[in-house]
Amino acid sequence: MALTVLAAASVLLLAGCTEKPQTPPATSSGPSSTAALPYADAPRVGNPMPASVIQRDPCEVLTPTQISSLFQRQPEVQPAQDTGIARDCRWADISRGSSIGIQMLYAARHGLSQFYANKQRYKLWEPLEPVQGYPVVAYGGNDTRQTLGDCSVLVGVADNAVFEVDVNVVDSKVGTVDPCTDARMVADLAVTTLKSGA
């Protein structure tokens, strides 16, 4: 695992330059009661965390040690911002263009179900191997993995709670690596932190 993380550290790049799809409203499709979750063929979260985990400060979802393992030098931290659908935090090494973003999607009260119900909106929609038993899906309004080297993944930590990881790869790696591999790896680290309550 450590070797894989270190390998990923060499391919992370500045995120935030691509257009992100809006979180679909929970009322657009599917039932209104959380008792009916999941729906739209979304996977059930077998060992859910408390939904309140999504209220965590996104800048604390990755520990300093985890951040150090993902960057070759100390990154700058963009303070947490509230976008109206999520609280967002980003780390960036401007000199190399590398960046990671964590979004705690508090507006997604139906968790992954509301994304699955609207998956036709996305040019990129690819379920990935779960991390520590939690379902993961790569998604995007456009599929720019090979052209811009970016990927966003959703992680369902409960049937009614989901967070997002955004990653881009360094310019020299664009088109040669799959940024979703890195995004899933960062998601795994974030799940470890969330589970530990650190």
Side-chain angles (χ1 to χ4, degrees):
M1 178 62 179
L3 290 177
T4 308
V5 171
L6 290 174
S10 66
V11 298
L12 294 171
L13 166 103
L14 182 64
C17 59
T18 58
E19 180 180 345
K20 289 296 300 165
Q22 291 291 315
T23 299
T27 55
S28 66
S29 56
S32 60
S33 170
T34 57
L37 296 175
Y39 57 84
D41 294 324
R44 182 173 297 281
V45 179
N47 188 24
M49 299 183 199
S52 60
V53 75
I54 296 304
Q55 302 303 319
R56 288 279 304 271
D57 182 342
C59 293
E60 296 179 358
V61 172
L62 294 174
T63 68
T65 298
Q66 290 169 335
I67 291 296
S68 294
S69 75
L70 294 167
F71 288 92
Q72 291 187 348
R73 62 195 73 182
Q74 186 66 31
E76 297 180 16
V77 183
Q78 174 187 316
Q81 297 183 2
D82 193 322
T83 66
I85 59 173
R87 293 190 68 213
D88 174 68
C89 187
R90 296 190 181 272
W91 297 263
D93 179 351
I94 302 302
S95 65
R96 299 191 72 237
S98 60
S99 163
I100 298 167
I102 299 285
Q103 296 192 58
M104 306 304 276
L105 296 169
Y106 61 75
R109 296 183 183 91
H110 288 185
L112 285 176
S113 292
Q114 68 193 72
F115 291 92
Y116 270 79
N118 293 277
K119 65 183 181 181
Q120 71 280 357
R121 296 182 180 190
Y122 308 120
K123 298 289 180 62
L124 170 61
W125 183 266
E126 184 178 328
L128 305 177
E129 189 72 21
V131 293
Q132 303 182 46
Y134 296 96
V136 180
V137 60
Y139 86 120
N142 293 293
D143 185 352
T144 51
R145 290 175 291 180
Q146 297 302 303
T147 55
L148 297 177
D150 70 334
C151 182
S152 296
V153 299
L154 298 164
V155 184
V157 293
D159 290 336
N160 61 340
V162 60
F163 73 91
E164 178 176 326
V165 175
D166 308 311
V167 163
N168 285 52
V169 299
V170 294
D171 291 336
S172 63
K173 297 293 184 178
V174 172
T176 67
V177 297
D178 182 358
C180 293
T181 300
D182 286 353
R184 182 184 172 277
M185 196 175 305
V186 174
D188 190 33
L189 294 175
V191 165
T192 295
T193 302
L194 291 172
K195 285 172 65 176
S196 71

